[in-house]
């Protein structure tokens, strides 16, 4: 599974409006690259989607990613590894 977009909780805007250019782009491209979760601890999410093998690895190598996402937010183009970037929509 290749994930670029992460939706946490219940967003106050539609993910399709945040991650895609239009409805066609959403349905053909972005929808299948979107991961939905209620988990708010970013390292656990990154392990769940397969970017890192463990939370301990993130703690050692990317301590800036050791965050809890509890506030409504939109993080765009967040660099999570050398080759990967993700967009995160945080809801209620």
């Amino acid at each position: 599974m290749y994930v670029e977009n992460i939706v946490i909780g219940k967003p106050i805007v539609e993910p399709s409006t945040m991650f895609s250019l239009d409805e066609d782009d959403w349905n053909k491209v972005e929808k299948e690259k979107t991961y939905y979760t209620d988990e708010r601890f970013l390292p656990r999410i990154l392990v769940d989607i397969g970017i890192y093998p463990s939370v301990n690895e993130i703690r050692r190598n990317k301590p800036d990613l050791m965050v809890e996402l509890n506030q409504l937010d939109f993080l765009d183009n967040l660099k999570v590894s050398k080759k990967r970037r993700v967009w995160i929509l945080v809801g209620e």
Side-chain angles (χ1 to χ4, degrees):
M1 169 173 67
Y2 182 78
V3 173
E4 280 185 5
N5 311 316
I6 300 170
V7 178
I8 299 172
K10 294 179 176 77
I12 59 173
V13 295
E14 286 298 317
S16 60
T17 62
M18 299 302 290
F19 298 129
S20 63
L21 299 173
D22 54 32
E23 188 175 332
D24 194 43
D25 179 44
W26 173 251
N27 289 324
K28 289 184 177 178
V29 181
E30 299 300 331
K31 192 175 194 178
E32 63 188 49
K33 295 190 296 187
T34 303
Y35 177 75
Y36 295 86
T37 183
D38 287 323
E39 177 64 56
R40 295 191 177 264
F41 187 50
L42 182 56
R44 172 61 34 217
I45 295 168
L46 297 176
V47 169
D48 289 348
I49 63 175
I51 294 177
Y52 286 97
S54 71
V55 171
N56 285 333
E57 177 144 340
I58 298 170
R59 186 176 290 118
R60 280 191 303 273
N61 298 319
K62 295 288 269 180
D64 54 312
L65 296 178
M66 296 295 294
V67 294
E68 191 85 29
L69 301 169
N70 291 318
Q71 303 295 323
L72 293 175
D73 204 352
F74 180 68
L75 307 168
D76 61 331
N77 215 13
L78 178 67
K79 187 173 182 178
V80 293
S81 71
K82 282 184 181 180
K83 299 177 183 177
R84 291 285 300 268
R85 294 181 180 273
V86 295
W87 287 256
I88 303 175
L89 177 59
V90 183
E92 300 174 325

